[in-house]
Amino acid sequence: MYGTQSKIDLAIEYKSQIPILRPSIHSRRANITVKFQDIYGFTVEGNVDDVNVLNEVREKVRQQGRAWWALEANKGANWYLHTTIGEGNALKSSLKFSALVNAITLKKLIRKGIPPVLRPKVWFALSGAAKKKSTVPESYYNDLTKAVEGKVTAATRQIDHDLPRTFPGHPWLDTTEGHAALRRVLVGYSFRDSDVGYCQGLNFVAALLLLVMKTEEDAFWMLAVLLENVLVNDCYTNNLSGCHVEQRVFKDLLTKKCPRIAAHLEALEFDISLVATEWFLCLFAKSLPSETTLRVWDVIFYEGAMVIFNVALAIFKMKEDELLLTHHIGEVLNVLQKTTHHLFDPDDLLTVAFDKKLGSMTTNTISKERKKQEPEVMKELDERSKRLNSFQMDEK
Amino acid sequence: MATIGHNNLNAKLVLLGDMGAGKSSLVLRFVKGQFLEFQESTIGAAFFSQTLAVNDATVKFEIWDTAGQERYHSLAPMYYRGAAAAIIVYDITSTDSFSRAKKWVQELQKQGNPNMVMALAGNKADLEDKRKVTAEEARVYAEENGLFFMETSAKSAANVNEIFYEIAKRLPRAQPAQNPPGMVLVDRPAEGSRAASCCS
């Protein structure tokens, strides 16, 4: 076996020490920038307040771990692995009352965060990855990676190009071993679904999956379930049509849920896709701090892709006052970038994202919106490609 | 669109070109004076701004650095719409990236702002021993198509500030007056309102 089952040992998780800062320097603390590694090995640059927030977050993660263990003691080991989500009808008939209680408990619990040690197991079971894997022979992943070894395609060339450009400087991802693991996952997937092949952005998603899942094979199945079941179709294919659809749905949602922001941004001629495209394609992996991103993913894997809309809306909503004061596209981008980069406390974001005031959204309403936008997007993309082809004909 | 307030000009600039040609590296060199051997891949696009002094005026560039992979092409109009300038980047060690640059030029000529200042940048000029596209070939192409051309190296910094400086110099100053009479700018109904609110 060539390392495909090897555990990624992120010793840094326990080793990294965040400096504890003394109150004596409070007066000038806002000016001090410190660099350190977070629990997933990413270098974070922040001021002393950020460091303190991160320390508080660590403590909250520990408390949340205790909540999970307590429930485990109460409801039995792995209770959460046998619970399905309560969207609509599924629950009514088939499940007993206790299962319903469990489902509600689990939904709440997951919104408060899955402890990092449990993430691989919980994600794998609840996302549907385990089920997907169970439908093919045990050796599927190894056979796939062996079969495609040494093959060169447009996708493999692009993957090779992007390996060192995926979280450069990360203590594991940016090593020969890390590159090789990421390569096998991405190349394997490019052969599994040749319509997707390789799309830039997936490198960041797969890299984070590797860091969380610890084994390459599990990361591969998480990527598969994400693209094939969780996200809208065609997010990453050919002309990113799925992503275009999502952007339109999001624009409509922002207009409905945050009309003042939407109107202000429109007056500035700020198209929200300018910033939201990256959020949707990388699932925030490039914009939010790692633990915050993974807390968002906790909920995505349990509740579905509409969570991306909740979170994206929340980012705008949190900064409503500041955004309304902007006069220029550059300022809007600065506000949003500064906000996302400093969201070290996942609860700050998720509380707003799931606040009743934003109004509830269901997978159903989002699906309806998507169906509404789809024909228009397809028509536009089609017209555009016709126009581009016609220039090229002119030249010949 | 370039907008004017006193002696200050705001100009939207977009970088287009093949994946890995060095678009982000050129921007990073220009904006922060830095170079990274491996620059994180750009998804969607990234935004930067930088101000240059040209003669007695300043030009504030609002730079959109776009993703290079072919399938991101469908997002590009959002970034080049209303741009006052574009830098089309190719990698002198890749003929494919040069062909792709030509396609971008073609698209901008048909779809972009007609007054757009276009620059062609042959990047990675420090990799002379791996060169596949001659400077002569690119220069001839640029001349035929009304672009100005420079070979650049984000790594050594050669010609990076120069290309932005040259664009700044070429930006039309009193834009509305310079438009020939009878020219219809159908694509940009909001141009007037934008100019009025630009003094941020």
Side-chain angles (χ1 to χ4, degrees), chain A residues 158 161 164-165 196 198 200-201 203 236 238-239 244 269 274 286 328 333 384 387 391-392 394-395, chain B residues 10 19-20 38-41 43 47 62 64 69 71-74 77-79 106-107 110-111 190:
Chain A
Q158 294 179 338
H161 188 86
R165 309 204 302 158
V196 171
Y198 171 65
Q200 287 194 299
N203 51 330
Y236 298 96
N238 189 3
N239 50 15
H244 283 273
E269 293 179 47
L274 292 171
K286 267 183 76 128
H328 201 269
L333 285 156
R384 210 179 108 71
R387 212 159 47 222
F391 309 159
Q392 273 145 35
D394 291 352
E395 299 290 310
Chain B
N10 277 0
M19 177 177 166
F38 295 107
Q39 170 79 35
E40 217 168 75
S41 2
I43 309 302
F47 177 83
E62 290 149 4
W64 284 103
Q69 199 183 14
R71 64 187 76 185
Y72 281 83
H73 196 139
S74 60
M78 176 164 75
Y79 302 107
Q106 222 174 52
E107 181 169 345
K110 310 263 168 151
Q111 307 271 81

Side-chain angles (χ1 to χ4, degrees), chain A residues 171-183:
Chain A
W172 183 78
L173 287 168
D174 200 2
T175 61
T176 321
E177 195 192 336
H179 289 175
L182 183 59
R183 185 178 197 281

Side-chain angles (χ1 to χ4, degrees), chain A residues 37-201:
Chain A
Q37 275 185 353
D38 70 12
I39 60 169
Y40 285 95
F42 292 97
T43 301
V44 181
E45 225 172 295
N47 60 30
V48 177
D49 289 333
D50 296 332
V51 174
N52 290 335
V53 169
L54 268 170
N55 280 328
E56 283 163 27
V57 169
R58 289 188 161 213
E59 184 46 41
K60 278 201 269 185
V61 167
R62 273 191 288 270
Q63 279 170 20
Q64 182 65 0
R66 284 195 285 273
W68 280 75
W69 308 134
L71 276 165
E72 191 130 320
N74 187 326
K75 293 178 185 282
N78 296 342
W79 65 277
Y80 44 83
L81 302 185
H82 313 293
T83 306
T84 46
I85 175 109
E87 260 299 329
N89 320 323
L91 270 173
K92 275 184 212 151
S93 51
S94 59
L95 294 177
K96 285 184 294 190
F97 181 69
S98 66
L100 181 68
V101 171
N102 277 356
I104 294 168
T105 313
L106 187 58
K107 186 171 168 179
K108 275 193 199 151
L109 201 60
I110 285 178
R111 286 185 178 190
K112 282 193 184 151
I114 302 171
V117 242
L118 289 181
R119 255 187 198 128
K121 192 164 76 171
V122 179
W123 279 11
F124 204 64
L126 298 182
S127 65
K131 198 172 157 208
K132 195 175 263 296
K133 187 186 168 193
S134 70
T135 60
V136 296
E138 192 67 25
S139 59
Y140 179 96
Y141 182 70
N142 283 330
D143 294 347
L144 177 68
T145 47
K146 247 178 245 163
V148 304
E149 212 176 45
K151 290 207 167 123
V152 178
T153 62
T156 64
R157 272 194 296 268
Q158 294 179 338
I159 291 167
D160 286 331
H161 188 86
D162 271 350
L163 292 173
R165 309 204 302 158
T166 309
F167 299 125
H170 186 278
W172 183 78
L173 287 168
D174 200 2
T175 61
T176 321
E177 195 192 336
H179 289 175
L182 183 59
R183 185 178 197 281
R184 281 190 295 266
V185 171
L186 290 171
V187 169
Y189 196 80
S190 79
F191 281 92
R192 175 179 167 93
D193 185 344
S194 54
D195 285 342
V196 171
Y198 171 65
C199 179
Q200 287 194 299

Side-chain angles (χ1 to χ4, degrees), chain A residues 89-327:
Chain A
N89 320 323
L91 270 173
K92 275 184 212 151
S93 51
S94 59
L95 294 177
K96 285 184 294 190
F97 181 69
S98 66
L100 181 68
V101 171
N102 277 356
I104 294 168
T105 313
L106 187 58
K107 186 171 168 179
K108 275 193 199 151
L109 201 60
I110 285 178
R111 286 185 178 190
K112 282 193 184 151
I114 302 171
V117 242
L118 289 181
R119 255 187 198 128
K121 192 164 76 171
V122 179
W123 279 11
F124 204 64
L126 298 182
S127 65
K131 198 172 157 208
K132 195 175 263 296
K133 187 186 168 193
S134 70
T135 60
V136 296
E138 192 67 25
S139 59
Y140 179 96
Y141 182 70
N142 283 330
D143 294 347
L144 177 68
T145 47
K146 247 178 245 163
V148 304
E149 212 176 45
K151 290 207 167 123
V152 178
T153 62
T156 64
R157 272 194 296 268
Q158 294 179 338
I159 291 167
D160 286 331
H161 188 86
D162 271 350
L163 292 173
R165 309 204 302 158
T166 309
F167 299 125
H170 186 278
W172 183 78
L173 287 168
D174 200 2
T175 61
T176 321
E177 195 192 336
H179 289 175
L182 183 59
R183 185 178 197 281
R184 281 190 295 266
V185 171
L186 290 171
V187 169
Y189 196 80
S190 79
F191 281 92
R192 175 179 167 93
D193 185 344
S194 54
D195 285 342
V196 171
Y198 171 65
C199 179
Q200 287 194 299
L202 291 180
N203 51 330
F204 296 103
V205 174
L208 264 194
L209 286 172
L210 271 170
L211 285 183
V212 173
M213 300 308 290
K214 312 280 203 249
T215 77
E216 210 181 293
E217 185 170 356
D218 288 356
F220 172 83
W221 287 111
M222 287 303 296
L223 187 67
V225 84
L226 186 67
L227 268 60
E228 293 159 19
N229 305 89
V230 178
L231 300 177
V232 66
N233 286 338
D234 291 324
C235 254
Y236 298 96
T237 48
N238 189 3
N239 50 15
L240 310 178
S241 63
C243 179
H244 283 273
V245 172
E246 296 297 76
Q247 292 302 312
R248 294 214 180 194
V249 174
F250 181 52
K251 267 176 223 175
D252 275 6
L253 268 177
L254 190 78
T255 310
K256 273 185 210 135
K257 309 273 183 186
C258 310
R260 291 207 303 161
I261 301 178
H264 183 74
L265 296 182
E266 199 176 332
L268 296 180
E269 293 179 47
F270 181 90
D271 184 332
I272 55 169
S273 318
L274 292 171
V275 50
T277 307
E278 187 201 272
W279 296 349
F280 278 73
L281 286 171
C282 298
L283 307 173
F284 305 101
K286 267 183 76 128
S287 338
L288 296 173
S290 66
E291 179 60 18
T292 308
T293 306
L294 298 177
R295 283 283 303 276
V296 172
W297 291 18
D298 286 347
V299 197
I300 291 178
F301 286 131
Y302 190 55
E303 296 186 33
M306 77 179 180
V307 170
I308 307 169
F309 294 98
N310 288 89
V311 172
L313 274 177
I315 295 171
F316 282 98
K317 188 74 189 167
M318 285 172 90
K319 291 291 154 178
E320 176 152 25
D321 296 343
E322 257 179 81
L323 286 170
L324 291 176
L325 291 174
T326 54
H327 300 286

